[in-house]
Amino acid sequence: RLAVNVVEEDDNLEAVLKTFSTTRQHFAVVRCVDSSGPGDPVYRIAGVITLEDIVEEILQVRACGRRGHNGAV
């Protein structure tokens, strides 16, 4: 059984890349702390991050083969 990587919303690039490298997975669930309600803060899922997202951010380009909502590459 394979565990899913979980990273914090405020984790830096180095921490996320280290998680990917250590686990040999290329994606992680991003969580954030929600303290807006009464009682103790709870974790909420903020989204998903992939190695491809990080590469695109570093290179400031969209990876080949990825389609937007309108079908354009």
Side-chain angles (χ1 to χ4, degrees):
R1 190 168 184 180
L2 197 59
V4 175
N5 289 329
V6 177
V7 296
E8 304 301 325
E9 184 178 43
D10 59 354
D11 281 352
N12 64 27
L13 178 64
E14 183 179 356
V16 176
L17 287 173
K18 185 171 183 173
T19 298
F20 288 170
S21 176
T22 302
T23 62
R24 295 181 181 231
Q25 293 182 19
H26 295 169
F27 63 93
V29 172
V30 181
R31 70 180 181 181
C32 61
V33 177
D34 180 0
S35 56
S36 61
D40 293 336
V42 295
Y43 287 108
R44 302 273 184 218
I45 295 175
V48 175
I49 188 168
T50 67
L51 182 59
E52 181 178 339
D53 294 330
I54 294 172
V55 170
E56 287 176 355
E57 186 65 27
I58 291 170
L59 299 178
Q60 292 295 302
V61 296
R62 174 174 263 163
C64 294
R66 188 170 176 182
R67 299 196 178 274
H69 295 293
N70 63 1
V73 176

